[in-house]
Amino acid sequence: MPEKRVDHINFEELEKKAISRPLLKHIYTADPSAHVFNGKIYIYPSHDIDAGDAFDDLGSHFAMEDYHVISMDSPASEAIDNGMALHIKDIPWAEKQLWAPDATEKDGKYYLFFPAKGYDGIFKIGVATSASPTGPFKPQPQAIKDSFSIDPAVFKDDDGCCYMYFGGIWGGQLQRWRSGSFNAEDSENPFAHLPKDDEPALCAKVARLTGDLLEFEESPRDVIITDVDGTSLLQGDRERRFFEASWMHKYNGKYYFSWSTGDTHFICYAIGNHPYGPFTYAGRILNPVVGWTSHHSICEFKGAWYLFYHDSSLSKGITHLRSIKVAKMEYDEHGFIKTIDPYKDLTVPG
Ligand code: FUB
């Protein structure tokens, strides 16, 4: 993961052209998963810190240790930091790197899903529960059985069934699970075990959750993304292929799967007729932001749609010190999402 160049960016100009401001300034936050519970917006972000770990292609500099839940009465109102909701020291199986989380609600109970590296250096996904959307959350003693990789996003369909979408390549280790078990060979090389450029791209994964939301009810399936002609996107199609940051939302009865293209810095989406897909590539939601990563969520509030995302403008381009933001999202008459430029008349090169 080479640092994105920032020496050419005029941050004063960027600030003026930005379409939205950081929602919080007293802490750094990223990967915002937003939901409406009881008429209020709750955001479940990563809590970025500078732990002093050197920048590398595996993302070791993302050394987060806890989660804070953020609440807002509306997308225009003040964002409230509700304090620490879960700390890594309270998760028995997890050693480090609390990356992008998500949450859902069932029968008045709240579930926080999160990735972390275990003491064996392997990313797994855990779940913690609380009676309140803001926590504190009590983690299960073990990671979810058969879970792997990073970036869980839990989607509750209209029939109440919950599906977890997850996965991320390079430091997110998804490519190490291609044979069904973890391949530890060449462990410091983030590019080892990836498909070749002319092979179908590695897919995000989806699994339906059990009724108690604590386990997978089935083996994870591939989230297949095809071009309009029905062919799978290729690994070498770096401006469109899946990298990390899965999200699912439903609009007018269709399922919209969205993701980050990682090293090309776009948020893209594809549309399907079922939570399992397949999904047809439909376009870009967000052009590149300042900072290497791009990670988002999409949430409806009072009939309008919002994109929650992050950038590194507040930290003046430091990749692992990001700030969550929100912008209004619009669809055209055919249900396609209008691409958002995070800075008016200003392109941040990938
Ligand atoms: O925040 C750590 C990692 O960076 C996330 O898990 C990825 O999606 C990327 O945003």
Side-chain angles (χ1 to χ4, degrees):
M1 198 186 283
E3 266 285 24
K4 223 167 146 190
R5 276 192 54 220
V6 291
D7 49 0
H8 59 296
I9 296 175
N10 175 337
F11 282 97
E12 245 170 60
E13 189 195 5
L14 187 90
E15 176 73 15
K16 285 189 206 133
K17 301 247 163 127
I19 60 164
S20 54
R21 308 275 151 242
L23 292 178
L24 298 165
K25 289 195 168 172
H26 68 293
I27 55 171
Y28 288 108
T29 48
D31 311 324
S33 292
H35 294 275
V36 176
F37 298 134
N38 307 318
K40 207 166 156 165
I41 299 169
Y42 292 91
I43 310 170
Y44 298 84
S46 301
H47 175 198
D48 281 356
I49 52 166
D50 191 355
D53 294 81
F55 193 97
D56 69 20
D57 286 341
L58 293 166
S60 307
H61 46 296
F62 294 112
M64 298 82 109
E65 294 174 352
D66 67 6
Y67 293 116
H68 287 218
V69 181
I70 312 305
S71 53
M72 298 173 85
D73 288 335
S74 79
S77 68
E78 193 192 350
I80 307 296
D81 173 2
N82 294 280
M84 196 174 67
L86 178 65
H87 195 280
I88 192 131
K89 68 173 166 38
D90 297 320
I91 309 168
W93 61 270
E95 185 192 9
K96 58 183 178 182
Q97 291 178 294
L98 284 182
W99 285 13
D102 191 20
T104 196
E105 177 273 343
K106 186 173 181 184
D107 300 332
K109 198 164 160 185
Y110 297 86
Y111 298 77
L112 179 70
F113 300 90
F114 58 90
K117 256 186 199 161
Y119 290 89
D120 53 5
I122 300 177
F123 268 115
K124 295 268 169 68
I125 295 170
V127 55
T129 58
S130 174
S132 160
T134 56
F137 286 89
K138 186 172 165 20
Q140 293 294 109
Q142 304 289 342
I144 295 175
K145 190 169 168 292
D146 298 331
S147 70
F148 53 93
S149 199
I150 59 165
D151 289 4
V154 171
F155 166 71
K156 193 200 271 187
D157 207 349
D158 301 332
D159 62 2
C161 280
C162 286
Y163 299 83
M164 182 188 289
Y165 298 81
F166 63 95
I169 62 173
W170 295 20
Q173 302 177 339
L174 184 61
Q175 68 280 5
R176 296 188 171 274
W177 290 92
R178 288 175 71 190
S179 66
S181 58
F182 187 77
N183 186 340
E185 214 181 281
D186 204 2
S187 65
E188 296 303 302
N189 180 357
F191 315 116
H193 315 297
L194 283 167
K196 295 198 176 63
D197 280 359
D198 59 357
E199 291 178 345
L202 215 54
C203 294
K205 299 284 177 183
V206 55
R208 196 165 60 199
L209 297 178
T210 51
D212 62 6
L213 306 188
L214 300 179
E215 299 290 346
F216 290 162
E217 194 172 76
E218 57 185 1
S219 296
R221 307 162 187 242
D222 281 344
V223 177
I224 293 170
I225 303 165
T226 70
D227 224 327
V228 276
D229 65 3
T231 55
S232 291
L233 297 191
L234 299 181
Q235 192 66 28
D237 190 349
R238 290 172 46 245
E239 295 203 343
R240 298 194 300 168
R241 60 91 173 92
F242 173 78
F243 189 101
E244 61 188 4
S246 294
W247 190 257
M248 170 58 67
H249 76 281
K250 201 171 180 180
Y251 176 74
N252 280 351
K254 298 270 186 200
Y255 295 85
Y256 286 60
F257 177 71
S258 48
W259 68 94
S260 164
T261 64
D263 56 340
T264 50
H265 319 290
F266 296 107
I267 299 292
C268 293
Y269 73 108
I271 303 174
N273 293 314
H274 190 277
Y276 292 139
F279 300 94
T280 308
Y281 181 83
R284 288 179 187 162
I285 298 176
L286 181 67
N287 278 328
V289 294
V290 170
W292 199 95
T293 64
S294 199
H295 190 126
H296 68 299
S297 66
I298 293 166
C299 178
E300 186 182 15
F301 184 78
K302 297 196 172 158
W305 288 85
Y306 295 89
L307 178 76
F308 290 78
Y309 64 108
H310 67 227
D311 76 5
S312 295
S313 57
L314 186 65
S315 70
K316 303 221 174 343
I318 299 176
T319 287
H320 59 284
L321 296 180
R322 302 161 290 179
S323 302
I324 58 170
K325 296 183 150 190
V326 59
K328 197 152 186 213
M329 212 182 74
E330 278 168 10
Y331 300 85
D332 71 13
E333 66 274 28
H334 306 293
F336 292 113
I337 296 169
K338 296 187 183 169
T339 307
I340 294 175
D341 280 314
Y343 317 100
K344 273 185 238 106
D345 314 319
L346 195 70
T347 304
V348 175

